[in-house]
């Protein structure tokens, strides 16, 4: 249970879930908690083992990305952004961001977080 929508208890619970997810040893996630007082957007970046494998095995994954920011969660007022690359069998998922908005600055920050986290593997 995440607690009340957009309240501190929800973020504390989500922070514990992200910590457990990262401690599983194989998956990587990073959370930037939402704070309106300092204009800090909510960003949750998730990278799975399969996504890491795609980066290692598919050469164009380092150079060619597509971004799909069309999905959203209405109850939590968040946006899901998917990061893809092309492959001969279709598209491959390389990353997932959940953000509090779809502003350019927020998506840029999410991509920076994703890049920094991925480079730490």
């Amino acid at each position: 249970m995440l607690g009340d929508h957009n309240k501190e208890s929800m973020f504390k619970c989500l922070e514990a879930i992200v910590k457990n997810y990262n401690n599983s040893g194989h998956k990587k996630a990073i959370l930037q908690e939402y704070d309106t007082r300092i204009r800090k957007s909510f960003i949750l970046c998730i990278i799975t083992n399969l996504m890491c494998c795609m980066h290692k095995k598919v050469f164009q994954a380092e150079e060619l990305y597509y971004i799909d920011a069309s999905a959203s969660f209405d109850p939590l007022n968040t946006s899901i952004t998917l990061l893809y690359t092309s492959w001969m069998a279709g598209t491959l998922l390389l990353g997932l961001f959940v953000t509090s908005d779809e502003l350019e600055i927020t998506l840029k920050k999410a991509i920076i977080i994703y890049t920094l986290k991925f480079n730490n593997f």
Side-chain angles (χ1 to χ4, degrees):
M1 183 91 178
L2 289 180
D4 294 334
H5 294 312
N6 299 320
K7 300 270 176 123
E8 186 177 334
S9 60
M10 180 181 88
F11 290 111
K12 294 297 180 197
C13 184
L14 187 55
E15 188 177 303
I17 290 168
V18 168
K19 184 176 179 180
N20 288 338
Y21 185 79
N22 287 332
N23 288 338
S24 69
H26 301 293
K27 301 164 188 81
K28 303 295 178 193
I30 191 162
L31 173 67
Q32 175 179 286
E33 189 175 324
Y34 181 70
D35 190 341
T36 56
R37 294 169 295 176
I38 58 172
R39 302 176 110 185
K40 190 175 181 183
S41 299
F42 167 74
I43 299 173
L44 173 61
C45 178
I46 300 171
I47 305 167
T48 66
N49 285 344
L50 183 58
M51 293 173 192
C52 290
C53 185
M54 295 303 116
H55 276 275
K56 293 175 186 173
K57 303 289 183 184
V58 179
F59 299 112
Q60 68 267 26
E62 294 180 16
E63 300 175 9
L64 183 62
Y65 291 91
Y66 301 101
I67 295 179
D68 178 6
S70 61
S72 66
F73 288 135
D74 289 329
L76 297 178
N77 196 28
T78 56
S79 173
I80 301 172
T81 303
L82 304 171
L83 187 61
Y84 293 102
T85 193
S86 293
W87 195 51
M88 65 183 149
T91 57
L92 301 172
L93 184 62
L94 298 176
L96 166 74
F97 314 130
V98 180
T99 59
S100 56
D101 56 62
E102 291 180 336
L103 296 174
E104 181 180 357
I105 189 81
T106 304
L107 293 177
K108 281 183 179 180
K109 176 73 174 181
I111 290 170
I112 290 169
I113 289 170
Y114 169 83
T115 303
L116 292 174
K117 190 69 172 176
F118 192 83
N119 287 335
N120 289 331
F121 289 157

